[in-house]
Amino acid sequence: MSVLLTGATGFLGMEVLTRLLDRDDDREIVAIVRATDSDRARERLDGVLRLLYDAPPASAARRLRAVPGDLCAEGLGLTPDDRRRVGDVTEVVHCAASISFSLPLAEALRVNVEGTRRVVSLARRLPRLRRLVHVSTAYVAGRHAGRFEERQLDVGQGFRNTYERSKHLAEVALRREARDLPLVVARPSIVVGDSTSGWTPAFNVLYWPLRAFHRGLLPRIPATPDGRLDIVPVDYVANALVRMLDDDVTGTLHLVSADRAITNRRLADLASRALDRPRPTLGPSDALERKGGEVYLPYLDVETSFDDRRARAALAPAGISAPAPEGYFDRLMAYAVRARWGRRPQTREQALAAAA
Ligand SMILES: NC(=O)c1ccc[n+]([C@@H]2O[C@H](COP(=O)([O-])OP(=O)(O)OC[C@H]3O[C@@H](n4cnc5c(N)ncnc54)[C@H](OP(=O)(O)O)[C@@H]3O)[C@@H](O)[C@H]2O)c1
């Protein structure tokens, strides 16, 4: 039995990787990594292990295998040998994607739609496949105003950027081409650091305006006070994804804060307290654009709320639930400040030890 993971060098993929390595089983983990050959792919994974651990666990040498590949290459760029070697994969977690909000559409489609279709064709050739987990995003809902349910996909929504559109189209392709596979589509909202330690290797998305605010560069933020900001900590999302490998659940699950999502007004309060800065004013301002953060503007007036009934029913029995942001936001900011917003990072292991 083995698990195939894409995106292990990314924020969410490395959290899935560490959980697969830390669990007590002998399943091989095959990570498809962008690299020219298997030595380079292994070096890249070793780099990831250095972000996660002070010293890599023995399981990494024993069970982790790096396979060079690319979502944009025919057959994922796997050699015939690698293709044969993945023959006994039983579970696939497809985490890799381009998360850039500003890629030209054709490029975003190439990675996020065509890449996903290639993962599906590989999965289809795995004779022992039990589970295919596709990591999507709750923002396939685009600009839909109101409640968005897990079963919904096309509600006539428009999209904020090529990222949302391409992730939406990836799901459309899955509904057409993978309906006979044991597929789970996981739709996280905005993923932030670990709820216990605050650890994150990625200081993008929400962290970008928060860092500018911390530096005193955003005293006024062009956000709608009642705009909804649905964030989830990475430990919740990664625990849920790993759980989906074992569970019998199929279909689409929202990994979101749902009714506990905060508003921009509440975020301003939390950020002001955690970062010890005067509360920012919310209202029209070109400050974000002037600082180069225009890609985040469309997320400052979100009118979507996400329904997560299916996810709660599937995950609650395993004790996995999304904590309320108020309970961990201070820890996110404490780590961000300690790590100087990415300039002085700790390993995941150090951050967890500090939190304990
Ligand atoms: N972060 C969030 O807030 C969030 C929220 C909702 C959903 N998601 C979804 O979660 C998944 C992971 O996101 P993330 O935040 O972990 O992103 P990330 O940190 O940017 O990681 C993306 C991963 O995808 C890999 N990748 C990109 N293009 C590739 C290609 N052509 N071939 C092979 N691998 C490629 C990257 O490899 P390289 O290291 O080689 O670039 C990296 O490992 C994505 O599907 C994303 O849509 C993320």
Side-chain angles (χ1 to χ4, degrees):
M1 287 206 321
S2 54
V3 184
L4 185 138
L5 175 63
T6 68
T9 53
F11 171 37
L12 189 49
M14 71 176 79
E15 285 283 344
V16 172
L17 175 66
T18 185
R19 280 162 178 75
L20 295 175
L21 284 171
D22 291 349
R23 73 183 186 180
D24 189 20
D25 67 22
D26 54 6
R27 250 179 274 194
E28 189 180 38
I29 306 154
V30 181
I32 296 190
V33 177
R34 261 203 288 199
T36 46
D37 57 44
S38 48
D39 287 347
R40 299 292 161 282
R42 183 70 216 193
E43 275 168 22
R44 291 205 64 204
L45 273 191
D46 287 344
V48 168
L49 295 174
R50 285 194 292 276
L51 292 175
L52 294 169
Y53 300 97
D54 296 342
S59 55
R62 211 176 55 246
R63 299 201 279 114
L64 178 60
R65 196 148 57 78
V67 168
D70 189 333
L71 293 175
C72 297
E74 206 46 56
L76 294 172
L78 302 187
T79 63
D81 264 1
D82 285 332
R83 203 164 269 283
R84 255 193 311 280
R85 281 199 206 111
V86 300
D88 63 349
V89 163
T90 41
E91 290 113 19
V92 176
V93 186
H94 176 40
C95 236
S98 165
I99 63 162
S100 163
F101 292 159
S102 54
L103 272 193
L105 181 63
E107 189 96 352
L109 296 178
R110 220 158 64 86
V111 184
N112 293 346
V113 181
E114 294 314 311
T116 297
R117 297 179 72 206
R118 290 190 173 107
V119 170
V120 168
S121 14
L122 176 69
R124 193 170 284 296
R125 286 198 218 102
L126 301 172
R128 301 173 64 200
L129 182 76
R130 296 182 40 253
R131 181 72 70 243
L132 166 59
V133 178
H134 169 76
V135 183
S136 182
T137 166
Y139 293 92
V140 295
R143 288 189 179 278
H144 174 67
R147 204 138 184 97
F148 189 65
E149 294 181 10
E150 290 156 305
R151 63 180 174 80
Q152 291 181 303
L153 182 56
D154 273 314
V155 289
Q157 68 271 52
F159 299 101
R160 292 177 184 83
N161 48 47
T162 56
Y163 169 68
E164 288 186 353
R165 186 180 292 278
S166 62
K167 295 292 283 191
H168 173 91
L169 289 172
E171 282 202 33
V172 171
L174 287 171
R175 285 196 177 188
R176 265 201 313 260
E177 296 168 31
R179 49 173 70 232
D180 56 322
L181 295 178
L183 174 70
V184 187
V185 174
R187 290 182 184 157
S189 53
I190 297 169
V191 185
V192 294
D194 184 274
S195 63
T196 314
S197 66
W199 188 79
T200 175
F203 289 88
N204 52 11
V205 195
L206 185 64
Y207 289 88
W208 195 96
L210 285 168
R211 175 171 45 189
F213 169 64
H214 183 229
R215 289 184 178 154
L217 302 175
L218 279 184
R220 193 176 171 86
I221 301 177
T224 309
D226 290 325
R228 296 180 69 86
L229 187 77
D230 195 306
I231 60 172
V232 275
V234 70
D235 45 319
Y236 165 61
V237 178
N239 287 342
L241 293 175
V242 171
R243 174 70 190 168
M244 288 170 195
L245 297 180
D246 293 327
D247 212 294
D248 285 337
V249 64
T250 54
T252 302
L253 303 184
H254 278 169
L255 304 178
V256 297
S257 284
D259 296 337
R260 298 206 268 183
I262 55 176
T263 59
N264 292 325
R265 182 188 287 111
R266 184 78 184 117
L267 176 74
D269 289 339
L270 293 175
S272 143
R273 192 187 65 196
L275 296 170
D276 197 18
R277 292 285 182 273
R279 195 184 176 287
T281 316
L282 303 185
S285 153
D286 62 356
L288 212 58
E289 284 133 301
R290 276 194 285 109
K291 305 279 171 262
E294 59 279 353
V295 291
Y296 303 115
L297 270 175
Y299 291 94
L300 298 180
D301 62 352
V302 174
E303 294 179 275
T304 316
S305 64
F306 301 102
D307 186 287
D308 69 342
R309 260 171 293 184
R310 294 195 78 244
R312 274 186 284 126
L315 299 170
I320 300 171
S321 61
E326 280 88 347
Y328 63 85
F329 188 81
D330 284 0
R331 289 194 281 276
L332 297 182
M333 293 301 98
Y335 178 74
V337 171
R338 203 161 72 238
R340 297 206 188 151
W341 303 92
R343 286 203 314 276
R344 270 234 323 248
Q346 292 184 309
T347 63
R348 177 177 182 274
E349 189 175 342
Q350 282 161 355
L352 281 171

